[in-house]
């Protein structure tokens, strides 16, 4: 906090209505493999594993059994972060939880973005409630958590954080629909570094998730 990793220039959008990505991972191959990987792998502890998942949506499974982390980071250059802060950005992840009913809320499945120059950190922890519905957290305060009634956490969903420069907050979208309140930035910790992160980043929680796609992009218009 790689084969399967995909670096794309900022010239041409891949999908109609979307900005060109700064970095993207898609598929079920190792994000940290290859001669020039775009994702740096960080792992600690013994109760953590990773591997490919086949299916209609190939994915990379990250399993954290507790007291461990395993995440991937793309280091975004300062000039790109400055432009993202001015124009706005979107961080999206398409993933599903595996055996969500056994998990304790935390950041054992998460995506995040850190911009130390502008003192901003945004994290999205993806969990499940007792009904197996997605439970999204941005900090340790339960009053700020968002439950998504009617959805299943063990099915693939697209979770998006969309940064609004004028407000210095992010909007939360799930499968294209806005859900929950606007989320303010948290100041980075002393050990935080810049970049886009995904995987498991919480030694105090357990979780297992299949990541089909992770994408960070600067919005086309300010």
């Amino acid at each position: 906090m790689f084969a399967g990793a995909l670096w794309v220039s900022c010239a041409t959008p891949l999908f109609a209505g979307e900005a060109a990505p700064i970095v993207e991972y898609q598929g079920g191959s190792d994000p940290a493999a290859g001669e020039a990987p775009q994702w740096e792998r960080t792992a600690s502890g013994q109760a953590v594993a990773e591997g490919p998942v086949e299916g209609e949506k190939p994915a990379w499974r990250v399993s954290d059994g507790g007291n461990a982390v395993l995440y991937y980071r793309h280091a975004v250059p300062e000039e790109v972060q400055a432009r993202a802060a001015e124009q706005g950005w979107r961080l999206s992840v398409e993933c599903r939880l595996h055996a969500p009913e056994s998990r304790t809320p935390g950041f054992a499945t998460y995506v995040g973005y850190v911009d130390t120059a502008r003192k901003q950190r945004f994290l999205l922890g993806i969990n499940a409630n007792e009904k197996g519905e997605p439970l999204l957290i941005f900090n340790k305060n339960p009053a700020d958590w968002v439950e998504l009634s009617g959805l299943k956490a063990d099915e693939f969903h697209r979770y998006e954080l969309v940064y609004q420069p004028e407000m210095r907050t992010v909007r939360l979208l799930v499968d294209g629909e806005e859900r929950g309140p606007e989320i303010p930035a948290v100041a980075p910790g002393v050990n935080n570094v810049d970049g886009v992160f995904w995987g498991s980043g919480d030694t105090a929680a357990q979780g297992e998730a299949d990541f089909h796609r992770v994408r960070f992009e600067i919005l086309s218009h300010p």
Side-chain angles (χ1 to χ4, degrees), residues 12-21 89-90 92 158 160 162 171 173 176 213 215 217-221:
T12 306
L14 294 182
F15 303 94
E18 292 187 346
W89 49 262
R90 177 187 291 113
S92 60
R158 187 176 75 255
E160 299 176 282
V162 181
R171 297 160 51 216
L173 286 80
R213 184 187 187 205
R215 178 185 176 105
E217 58 197 318
I218 295 177
L219 301 181
S220 297
H221 304 287

PDB file of all heavy atoms in Angstrom, residues 12-21 89-90 92 158 160 162 171 173 176 213 215 217-221:
ATOM      1  N   THR A  12      -5.763   9.285 -24.290  1.00  0.00           N
ATOM      2  CA  THR A  12      -7.027   8.838 -24.863  1.00  0.00           C
ATOM      3  C   THR A  12      -7.809   8.005 -23.876  1.00  0.00           C
ATOM      4  O   THR A  12      -7.298   7.011 -23.359  1.00  0.00           O
ATOM      5  CB  THR A  12      -6.772   7.983 -26.130  1.00  0.00           C
ATOM      6  OG1 THR A  12      -5.958   8.734 -27.016  1.00  0.00           O
ATOM      7  CG2 THR A  12      -8.091   7.640 -26.802  1.00  0.00           C
ATOM      8  N   PRO A  13      -9.068   8.350 -23.598  1.00  0.00           N
ATOM      9  CA  PRO A  13      -9.900   7.529 -22.716  1.00  0.00           C
ATOM     10  C   PRO A  13     -10.134   6.152 -23.308  1.00  0.00           C
ATOM     11  O   PRO A  13     -10.227   5.986 -24.524  1.00  0.00           O
ATOM     12  CB  PRO A  13     -11.208   8.330 -22.619  1.00  0.00           C
ATOM     13  CG  PRO A  13     -10.839   9.725 -23.013  1.00  0.00           C
ATOM     14  CD  PRO A  13      -9.741   9.585 -24.017  1.00  0.00           C
ATOM     15  N   LEU A  14     -10.235   5.143 -22.452  1.00  0.00           N
ATOM     16  CA  LEU A  14     -10.516   3.792 -22.900  1.00  0.00           C
ATOM     17  C   LEU A  14     -12.000   3.534 -23.047  1.00  0.00           C
ATOM     18  O   LEU A  14     -12.425   2.687 -23.820  1.00  0.00           O
ATOM     19  CB  LEU A  14      -9.937   2.781 -21.902  1.00  0.00           C
ATOM     20  CG  LEU A  14      -8.406   2.738 -21.788  1.00  0.00           C
ATOM     21  CD1 LEU A  14      -8.012   1.670 -20.805  1.00  0.00           C
ATOM     22  CD2 LEU A  14      -7.774   2.467 -23.139  1.00  0.00           C
ATOM     23  N   PHE A  15     -12.820   4.243 -22.300  1.00  0.00           N
ATOM     24  CA  PHE A  15     -14.247   3.999 -22.288  1.00  0.00           C
ATOM     25  C   PHE A  15     -14.988   5.316 -22.488  1.00  0.00           C
ATOM     26  O   PHE A  15     -14.559   6.356 -22.002  1.00  0.00           O
ATOM     27  CB  PHE A  15     -14.681   3.362 -20.963  1.00  0.00           C
ATOM     28  CG  PHE A  15     -13.954   2.089 -20.673  1.00  0.00           C
ATOM     29  CD1 PHE A  15     -12.810   2.094 -19.905  1.00  0.00           C
ATOM     30  CD2 PHE A  15     -14.397   0.883 -21.189  1.00  0.00           C
ATOM     31  CE1 PHE A  15     -12.126   0.920 -19.639  1.00  0.00           C
ATOM     32  CE2 PHE A  15     -13.720  -0.285 -20.929  1.00  0.00           C
ATOM     33  CZ  PHE A  15     -12.580  -0.270 -20.158  1.00  0.00           C
ATOM     34  N   ALA A  16     -16.104   5.263 -23.197  1.00  0.00           N
ATOM     35  CA  ALA A  16     -16.884   6.469 -23.448  1.00  0.00           C
ATOM     36  C   ALA A  16     -17.313   7.097 -22.133  1.00  0.00           C
ATOM     37  O   ALA A  16     -17.779   6.416 -21.232  1.00  0.00           O
ATOM     38  CB  ALA A  16     -18.109   6.130 -24.292  1.00  0.00           C
ATOM     39  N   GLY A  17     -17.147   8.409 -22.017  1.00  0.00           N
ATOM     40  CA  GLY A  17     -17.584   9.118 -20.822  1.00  0.00           C
ATOM     41  C   GLY A  17     -16.600   9.056 -19.672  1.00  0.00           C
ATOM     42  O   GLY A  17     -16.880   9.581 -18.604  1.00  0.00           O
ATOM     43  N   GLU A  18     -15.442   8.433 -19.871  1.00  0.00           N
ATOM     44  CA  GLU A  18     -14.456   8.343 -18.805  1.00  0.00           C
ATOM     45  C   GLU A  18     -13.193   9.090 -19.202  1.00  0.00           C
ATOM     46  O   GLU A  18     -12.838   9.169 -20.380  1.00  0.00           O
ATOM     47  CB  GLU A  18     -14.103   6.877 -18.512  1.00  0.00           C
ATOM     48  CG  GLU A  18     -15.225   6.074 -17.892  1.00  0.00           C
ATOM     49  CD  GLU A  18     -14.764   4.696 -17.476  1.00  0.00           C
ATOM     50  OE1 GLU A  18     -13.673   4.284 -17.908  1.00  0.00           O
ATOM     51  OE2 GLU A  18     -15.497   4.034 -16.732  1.00  0.00           O
ATOM     52  N   ALA A  19     -12.507   9.656 -18.241  1.00  0.00           N
ATOM     53  CA  ALA A  19     -11.208  10.269 -18.480  1.00  0.00           C
ATOM     54  C   ALA A  19     -10.162   9.179 -18.682  1.00  0.00           C
ATOM     55  O   ALA A  19     -10.369   8.024 -18.323  1.00  0.00           O
ATOM     56  CB  ALA A  19     -10.848  11.166 -17.306  1.00  0.00           C
ATOM     57  N   ALA A  20      -9.044   9.560 -19.265  1.00  0.00           N
ATOM     58  CA  ALA A  20      -7.958   8.603 -19.444  1.00  0.00           C
ATOM     59  C   ALA A  20      -7.345   8.275 -18.085  1.00  0.00           C
ATOM     60  O   ALA A  20      -7.138   9.160 -17.258  1.00  0.00           O
ATOM     61  CB  ALA A  20      -6.885   9.182 -20.357  1.00  0.00           C
ATOM     62  N   PRO A  21      -7.047   7.005 -17.821  1.00  0.00           N
ATOM     63  CA  PRO A  21      -6.505   6.638 -16.507  1.00  0.00           C
ATOM     64  C   PRO A  21      -5.036   7.013 -16.362  1.00  0.00           C
ATOM     65  O   PRO A  21      -4.277   6.987 -17.317  1.00  0.00           O
ATOM     66  CB  PRO A  21      -6.685   5.121 -16.473  1.00  0.00           C
ATOM     67  CG  PRO A  21      -6.635   4.714 -17.913  1.00  0.00           C
ATOM     68  CD  PRO A  21      -7.277   5.831 -18.680  1.00  0.00           C
ATOM     69  N   TRP A  89     -10.330  14.099  -9.365  1.00  0.00           N
ATOM     70  CA  TRP A  89      -9.896  12.753  -9.739  1.00  0.00           C
ATOM     71  C   TRP A  89     -10.949  11.737  -9.332  1.00  0.00           C
ATOM     72  O   TRP A  89     -11.856  12.030  -8.559  1.00  0.00           O
ATOM     73  CB  TRP A  89      -8.549  12.397  -9.099  1.00  0.00           C
ATOM     74  CG  TRP A  89      -8.426  12.652  -7.619  1.00  0.00           C
ATOM     75  CD1 TRP A  89      -7.859  13.721  -7.016  1.00  0.00           C
ATOM     76  CD2 TRP A  89      -8.902  11.804  -6.540  1.00  0.00           C
ATOM     77  NE1 TRP A  89      -7.938  13.615  -5.641  1.00  0.00           N
ATOM     78  CE2 TRP A  89      -8.572  12.447  -5.320  1.00  0.00           C
ATOM     79  CE3 TRP A  89      -9.568  10.577  -6.499  1.00  0.00           C
ATOM     80  CZ2 TRP A  89      -8.884  11.911  -4.080  1.00  0.00           C
ATOM     81  CZ3 TRP A  89      -9.895  10.040  -5.260  1.00  0.00           C
ATOM     82  CH2 TRP A  89      -9.555  10.699  -4.064  1.00  0.00           C
ATOM     83  N   ARG A  90     -10.825  10.540  -9.884  1.00  0.00           N
ATOM     84  CA  ARG A  90     -11.714   9.436  -9.536  1.00  0.00           C
ATOM     85  C   ARG A  90     -10.863   8.199  -9.251  1.00  0.00           C
ATOM     86  O   ARG A  90      -9.997   7.837 -10.038  1.00  0.00           O
ATOM     87  CB  ARG A  90     -12.690   9.123 -10.664  1.00  0.00           C
ATOM     88  CG  ARG A  90     -13.596   7.925 -10.364  1.00  0.00           C
ATOM     89  CD  ARG A  90     -14.445   7.512 -11.559  1.00  0.00           C
ATOM     90  NE  ARG A  90     -15.461   8.504 -11.864  1.00  0.00           N
ATOM     91  CZ  ARG A  90     -15.492   9.246 -12.963  1.00  0.00           C
ATOM     92  NH1 ARG A  90     -14.527   9.135 -13.861  1.00  0.00           N
ATOM     93  NH2 ARG A  90     -16.460  10.116 -13.168  1.00  0.00           N
ATOM     94  N   SER A  92     -11.544   4.248  -8.533  1.00  0.00           N
ATOM     95  CA  SER A  92     -12.611   3.249  -8.566  1.00  0.00           C
ATOM     96  C   SER A  92     -12.024   1.853  -8.407  1.00  0.00           C
ATOM     97  O   SER A  92     -10.897   1.579  -8.817  1.00  0.00           O
ATOM     98  CB  SER A  92     -13.405   3.338  -9.873  1.00  0.00           C
ATOM     99  OG  SER A  92     -12.575   3.120 -10.995  1.00  0.00           O
ATOM    100  N   ARG A 158     -18.958  -1.849  -8.240  1.00  0.00           N
ATOM    101  CA  ARG A 158     -17.985  -0.794  -8.535  1.00  0.00           C
ATOM    102  C   ARG A 158     -18.133   0.307  -7.497  1.00  0.00           C
ATOM    103  O   ARG A 158     -19.158   0.963  -7.399  1.00  0.00           O
ATOM    104  CB  ARG A 158     -18.217  -0.228  -9.946  1.00  0.00           C
ATOM    105  CG  ARG A 158     -17.126   0.769 -10.370  1.00  0.00           C
ATOM    106  CD  ARG A 158     -17.325   1.239 -11.802  1.00  0.00           C
ATOM    107  NE  ARG A 158     -18.418   2.192 -11.935  1.00  0.00           N
ATOM    108  CZ  ARG A 158     -19.601   1.931 -12.444  1.00  0.00           C
ATOM    109  NH1 ARG A 158     -19.900   0.711 -12.871  1.00  0.00           N
ATOM    110  NH2 ARG A 158     -20.528   2.874 -12.550  1.00  0.00           N
ATOM    111  N   GLU A 160     -16.625   3.896  -6.095  1.00  0.00           N
ATOM    112  CA  GLU A 160     -15.869   5.021  -6.639  1.00  0.00           C
ATOM    113  C   GLU A 160     -15.784   6.169  -5.633  1.00  0.00           C
ATOM    114  O   GLU A 160     -16.781   6.497  -4.972  1.00  0.00           O
ATOM    115  CB  GLU A 160     -16.527   5.553  -7.916  1.00  0.00           C
ATOM    116  CG  GLU A 160     -16.611   4.544  -9.034  1.00  0.00           C
ATOM    117  CD  GLU A 160     -17.362   5.107 -10.235  1.00  0.00           C
ATOM    118  OE1 GLU A 160     -18.604   5.157 -10.188  1.00  0.00           O
ATOM    119  OE2 GLU A 160     -16.690   5.514 -11.204  1.00  0.00           O
ATOM    120  N   VAL A 162     -14.903  10.148  -5.874  1.00  0.00           N
ATOM    121  CA  VAL A 162     -14.749  11.213  -6.857  1.00  0.00           C
ATOM    122  C   VAL A 162     -14.417  12.502  -6.114  1.00  0.00           C
ATOM    123  O   VAL A 162     -15.235  13.015  -5.343  1.00  0.00           O
ATOM    124  CB  VAL A 162     -16.026  11.388  -7.700  1.00  0.00           C
ATOM    125  CG1 VAL A 162     -15.837  12.485  -8.744  1.00  0.00           C
ATOM    126  CG2 VAL A 162     -16.411  10.069  -8.383  1.00  0.00           C
ATOM    127  N   ARG A 171     -17.015  12.349  -3.231  1.00  0.00           N
ATOM    128  CA  ARG A 171     -18.338  11.752  -3.309  1.00  0.00           C
ATOM    129  C   ARG A 171     -18.165  10.242  -3.435  1.00  0.00           C
ATOM    130  O   ARG A 171     -17.235   9.765  -4.073  1.00  0.00           O
ATOM    131  CB  ARG A 171     -19.107  12.283  -4.512  1.00  0.00           C
ATOM    132  CG  ARG A 171     -19.389  13.767  -4.476  1.00  0.00           C
ATOM    133  CD  ARG A 171     -19.700  14.299  -5.867  1.00  0.00           C
ATOM    134  NE  ARG A 171     -20.730  13.516  -6.535  1.00  0.00           N
ATOM    135  CZ  ARG A 171     -20.741  13.260  -7.849  1.00  0.00           C
ATOM    136  NH1 ARG A 171     -19.761  13.683  -8.622  1.00  0.00           N
ATOM    137  NH2 ARG A 171     -21.727  12.564  -8.380  1.00  0.00           N
ATOM    138  N   LEU A 173     -19.736   6.813  -4.905  1.00  0.00           N
ATOM    139  CA  LEU A 173     -20.673   6.222  -5.855  1.00  0.00           C
ATOM    140  C   LEU A 173     -20.515   4.704  -5.807  1.00  0.00           C
ATOM    141  O   LEU A 173     -19.391   4.186  -5.719  1.00  0.00           O
ATOM    142  CB  LEU A 173     -20.430   6.717  -7.280  1.00  0.00           C
ATOM    143  CG  LEU A 173     -20.866   8.152  -7.604  1.00  0.00           C
ATOM    144  CD1 LEU A 173     -19.831   9.155  -7.116  1.00  0.00           C
ATOM    145  CD2 LEU A 173     -21.092   8.317  -9.093  1.00  0.00           C
ATOM    146  N   GLY A 176     -22.383   3.361  -9.960  1.00  0.00           N
ATOM    147  CA  GLY A 176     -22.800   4.562 -10.653  1.00  0.00           C
ATOM    148  C   GLY A 176     -23.797   5.427  -9.918  1.00  0.00           C
ATOM    149  O   GLY A 176     -24.141   6.516 -10.395  1.00  0.00           O
ATOM    150  N   ARG A 213     -10.780  -4.931 -10.869  1.00  0.00           N
ATOM    151  CA  ARG A 213     -10.292  -3.730 -11.547  1.00  0.00           C
ATOM    152  C   ARG A 213     -10.059  -2.621 -10.523  1.00  0.00           C
ATOM    153  O   ARG A 213     -10.879  -2.400  -9.647  1.00  0.00           O
ATOM    154  CB  ARG A 213     -11.317  -3.263 -12.579  1.00  0.00           C
ATOM    155  CG  ARG A 213     -10.901  -2.068 -13.429  1.00  0.00           C
ATOM    156  CD  ARG A 213     -12.079  -1.624 -14.284  1.00  0.00           C
ATOM    157  NE  ARG A 213     -11.713  -0.593 -15.227  1.00  0.00           N
ATOM    158  CZ  ARG A 213     -12.570   0.287 -15.733  1.00  0.00           C
ATOM    159  NH1 ARG A 213     -13.842   0.257 -15.377  1.00  0.00           N
ATOM    160  NH2 ARG A 213     -12.176   1.189 -16.601  1.00  0.00           N
ATOM    161  N   ARG A 215      -8.685   1.542 -10.723  1.00  0.00           N
ATOM    162  CA  ARG A 215      -8.410   2.581 -11.720  1.00  0.00           C
ATOM    163  C   ARG A 215      -8.352   3.946 -11.044  1.00  0.00           C
ATOM    164  O   ARG A 215      -9.213   4.284 -10.229  1.00  0.00           O
ATOM    165  CB  ARG A 215      -9.530   2.559 -12.769  1.00  0.00           C
ATOM    166  CG  ARG A 215      -9.443   3.600 -13.874  1.00  0.00           C
ATOM    167  CD  ARG A 215     -10.704   3.497 -14.732  1.00  0.00           C
ATOM    168  NE  ARG A 215     -10.767   4.491 -15.763  1.00  0.00           N
ATOM    169  CZ  ARG A 215     -10.546   4.267 -17.051  1.00  0.00           C
ATOM    170  NH1 ARG A 215     -10.226   3.051 -17.464  1.00  0.00           N
ATOM    171  NH2 ARG A 215     -10.643   5.246 -17.936  1.00  0.00           N
ATOM    172  N   GLU A 217      -7.907   8.057 -12.157  1.00  0.00           N
ATOM    173  CA  GLU A 217      -7.924   8.941 -13.312  1.00  0.00           C
ATOM    174  C   GLU A 217      -8.145  10.384 -12.876  1.00  0.00           C
ATOM    175  O   GLU A 217      -8.770  10.651 -11.847  1.00  0.00           O
ATOM    176  CB  GLU A 217      -9.029   8.528 -14.287  1.00  0.00           C
ATOM    177  CG  GLU A 217     -10.416   8.512 -13.672  1.00  0.00           C
ATOM    178  CD  GLU A 217     -11.407   7.724 -14.495  1.00  0.00           C
ATOM    179  OE1 GLU A 217     -11.376   7.851 -15.732  1.00  0.00           O
ATOM    180  OE2 GLU A 217     -12.218   7.003 -13.902  1.00  0.00           O
ATOM    181  N   ILE A 218      -7.604  11.300 -13.671  1.00  0.00           N
ATOM    182  CA  ILE A 218      -7.891  12.726 -13.495  1.00  0.00           C
ATOM    183  C   ILE A 218      -9.103  13.056 -14.337  1.00  0.00           C
ATOM    184  O   ILE A 218      -9.227  12.627 -15.486  1.00  0.00           O
ATOM    185  CB  ILE A 218      -6.670  13.564 -13.919  1.00  0.00           C
ATOM    186  CG1 ILE A 218      -5.499  13.289 -12.976  1.00  0.00           C
ATOM    187  CG2 ILE A 218      -7.021  15.062 -13.906  1.00  0.00           C
ATOM    188  CD1 ILE A 218      -4.229  14.018 -13.351  1.00  0.00           C
ATOM    189  N   LEU A 219     -10.015  13.820 -13.762  1.00  0.00           N
ATOM    190  CA  LEU A 219     -11.233  14.158 -14.481  1.00  0.00           C
ATOM    191  C   LEU A 219     -10.917  15.115 -15.633  1.00  0.00           C
ATOM    192  O   LEU A 219     -10.002  15.939 -15.544  1.00  0.00           O
ATOM    193  CB  LEU A 219     -12.257  14.766 -13.534  1.00  0.00           C
ATOM    194  CG  LEU A 219     -12.658  13.858 -12.360  1.00  0.00           C
ATOM    195  CD1 LEU A 219     -13.704  14.543 -11.477  1.00  0.00           C
ATOM    196  CD2 LEU A 219     -13.180  12.511 -12.857  1.00  0.00           C
ATOM    197  N   SER A 220     -11.723  15.014 -16.682  1.00  0.00           N
ATOM    198  CA  SER A 220     -11.439  15.764 -17.904  1.00  0.00           C
ATOM    199  C   SER A 220     -11.651  17.251 -17.731  1.00  0.00           C
ATOM    200  O   SER A 220     -11.005  18.066 -18.377  1.00  0.00           O
ATOM    201  CB  SER A 220     -12.356  15.260 -19.031  1.00  0.00           C
ATOM    202  OG  SER A 220     -12.087  13.909 -19.313  1.00  0.00           O
ATOM    203  N   HIS A 221     -12.602  17.640 -16.837  1.00  0.00           N
ATOM    204  CA  HIS A 221     -12.929  19.049 -16.693  1.00  0.00           C
ATOM    205  C   HIS A 221     -12.788  19.442 -15.235  1.00  0.00           C
ATOM    206  O   HIS A 221     -13.120  18.665 -14.332  1.00  0.00           O
ATOM    207  CB  HIS A 221     -14.348  19.320 -17.175  1.00  0.00           C
ATOM    208  CG  HIS A 221     -14.593  18.877 -18.582  1.00  0.00           C
ATOM    209  ND1 HIS A 221     -14.075  19.549 -19.655  1.00  0.00           N
ATOM    210  CD2 HIS A 221     -15.271  17.821 -19.089  1.00  0.00           C
ATOM    211  CE1 HIS A 221     -14.438  18.926 -20.769  1.00  0.00           C
ATOM    212  NE2 HIS A 221     -15.164  17.882 -20.452  1.00  0.00           N
TER     213      HIS A 221
END
